Amino acid sequence: SVQSILLNTLNENLPKLFKYAIILLIYIVIAGPVLYIILKRKDRRFLLWPAVPMLSIFFMLIIFSVSAETRHQIPFLNYATYIKYTDNGALEDTYYSVTLPDKGKFIHHVPQDYDIHMINNNYSNSMIILNSYYVESQTNNNSGLAYNKTDSGTDIKIHNDSAFSARYFNTQKDDPEIGALEESVTYKDGNYVGTISNQTGYDISNACLIISGQIYAIGNIPDGVTADVNVSAKGVVSQDYDIERAIRSALNIPLDGA
């Protein structure tokens, strides 16, 4: 779902807990029995008091070094783009979030052919965050968020925000070059059969068909290709289910995203 994509950090370099568990185990063994036995044999047990803190600092530096590859040091964006078909044609609708790992500054430019909406992120309820967006038209120079309308579009500056606090945005643009996604699917003898034709101008990966709340994996549909559909029908499900989990299950993708 959109709120899951924007409110969660998508990062392939997540820390490997097994690695840290091994380091912690080695520290416990050395700081406990190994250090005690060595100092006892040398009749220097009084050195335990300074030795343990020094050993702790040494292992802290090891963990700091090992974790360098998983620490966020630059701003990162999460986004989800939808193509909506209206009476006036195709609408490119993108939700995205910007997160800064520190109180630095990040500036990005949105071209003038996009309508930019600043999503109100002062609510804890993610549905309110995504659905209660509003358009800002004046410049705000206070700490946190500043934006400036120019002839070429909108410049947005995020600065001096709390570390890892996200800002949410929505952009929309009418795009007549996006073609249609045409489907002709019917129910027959316990199966949904038919075709889906991709004329959008985009290659579609991991396509799914949603019928009566159920998710059916269709596969990849390259641009300009018509894919055959023949899937066994499932029972109707309620509306209050986790659609992201249902899609991952249909595509055989682990829930942890690995």
Side-chain angles (χ1 to χ4, degrees), residues 31-125:
V34 173
L35 188 61
Y36 177 79
I37 291 173
I38 292 175
L39 294 179
K40 181 180 179 181
R41 288 180 177 178
K42 294 180 177 294
D43 196 20
R44 293 289 190 272
R45 281 178 291 181
F46 64 90
L47 293 178
L48 276 173
W49 292 104
V52 171
M54 291 177 62
L55 195 63
S56 299
I57 294 174
F58 176 73
F59 273 87
M60 182 181 67
L61 293 175
I62 291 178
I63 291 177
F64 183 81
S65 176
V66 169
S67 63
E69 62 183 14
T70 61
R71 285 197 300 272
H72 287 291
Q73 299 179 2
I74 59 175
F76 54 93
L77 286 76
N78 294 333
Y79 71 93
T81 297
Y82 293 83
I83 298 174
K84 295 182 178 180
Y85 293 96
T86 67
D87 293 338
N88 298 323
L91 175 70
E92 180 184 307
D93 191 17
T94 300
Y95 294 88
Y96 70 97
S97 64
V98 180
T99 305
L100 275 62
D102 52 34
K103 286 193 171 185
K105 179 175 67 175
F106 179 75
I107 300 176
H108 65 286
H109 179 77
V110 179
Q112 63 177 352
D113 52 344
Y114 284 89
D115 293 327
I116 176 72
H117 303 261
M118 316 263 179
I119 301 177
N120 186 348
N121 62 340
N122 293 323
Y123 300 91
S124 59
N125 186 306

Side-chain angles (χ1 to χ4, degrees), residues 108-114 116 147-156:
H108 65 286
H109 179 77
V110 179
Q112 63 177 352
D113 52 344
Y114 284 89
I116 176 72
Y147 50 97
N148 182 42
K149 298 287 186 178
T150 67
D151 292 338
S152 61
T154 304
D155 293 323
I156 300 176

